[in-house]
Amino acid sequence: MSVPNHFWLLIEDNNTTAAVVRKALEDKPIKYAYIAHPNDGLPCNGWSQYNRAFDYIRQNRDRFDPNAVVYLGNDNDAYGLDLFEQYVRPVKRIGVWPVGITNYLLQLPRVSNGNVVGFAKTLKAANHLGVYFGGFAFHISYLLYNNVKLTTDCAGLYGEECLLKQLKISMEDYEPYGISATKQNVQMWRRTTPTMFNRNFPKFGYLTDTVPAYEPIRHEMCERFRSIYKMTKSEAKEAAAMINQTWDPAVRIPPPEPVWDIYYISGMR
């Protein structure tokens, strides 16, 4: 692979892993673990999967170098290879760097005399914890000695903020990368995928997102839960209960019929 000496921990947001992903991993000379772990009543932006990854690292600490660095990637994001070699690998405490968000918005650390003093152009609250998950990496010791979890107790905070508070991160711990007086280099971009409920199209044998029959209701609940940073803890717990109830297979909505006539691919219909 293009990034040497790394361990790839993949958490599938599903009840089972995907055969095509397993096959792709088996063909690569890399160290990895591939685990299925569905959402369990938490915001639909990877919180359950992050928790499972944290547990795996703590339970298998002997598999990791004591000076390893933890980076939380996401399948919705795009990365430059320099991110891993020039930003992530040198981290001693917690590294932060510029992040591109949906085409033109940027979030980047403000640096004075080599120290991070805040963040600019951020979409989140204007405080020193206002970073996006893909915009930081931290020394493994922070995780091994703090039993962090993203739960409904994070209500009123962004997920990143809740995580970093539990890791006991302070402003002095931040190490800036990808930003200097002469060069500001974005190596990580947050991509946006359009929402489309009726995705029961032919897949021609390729792997695509698995869309449950109850996707419209799931989307509604996920969107409601996405604003957990505006909720109280009691409101978050109520939303979690609604999501768990809605996702019961007994209340699934029948899937739509396949649609063939709205596109044309290289002479195939």
Side-chain angles (χ1 to χ4, degrees), residues 234-264:
S234 60
E235 289 172 337
K237 292 182 186 299
E238 181 180 352
M242 292 176 65
I243 286 180
N244 285 337
Q245 180 179 4
T246 301
W247 288 5
D248 188 326
V251 297
R252 289 184 178 181
I253 299 173
E257 293 296 321
V259 178
W260 286 83
D261 296 328
I262 65 172
Y263 63 92
Y264 184 78

Side-chain angles (χ1 to χ4, degrees), residues 163-225:
L163 171 63
L164 295 177
K165 281 182 177 292
Q166 293 181 70
L167 292 177
K168 300 178 176 62
I169 300 294
S170 65
M171 180 74 76
E172 291 73 23
D173 294 321
Y174 283 143
E175 307 163 35
Y177 293 91
I179 183 168
S180 67
T182 58
K183 185 177 182 181
Q184 298 185 13
N185 195 350
V186 177
Q187 288 290 326
M188 182 268 156
W189 286 91
R190 176 77 170 94
R191 299 187 295 114
T192 300
T193 303
T195 300
M196 188 175 182
F197 294 138
N198 189 358
R199 286 181 282 184
N200 193 22
F201 300 126
K203 298 179 175 62
F204 305 108
Y206 291 92
L207 177 68
T208 64
D209 286 342
T210 299
V211 183
Y214 49 88
E215 177 75 5
I217 295 181
R218 169 178 172 168
H219 176 75
E220 179 184 349
M221 292 296 100
C222 286
E223 285 302 305
R224 182 179 303 179
F225 219 169

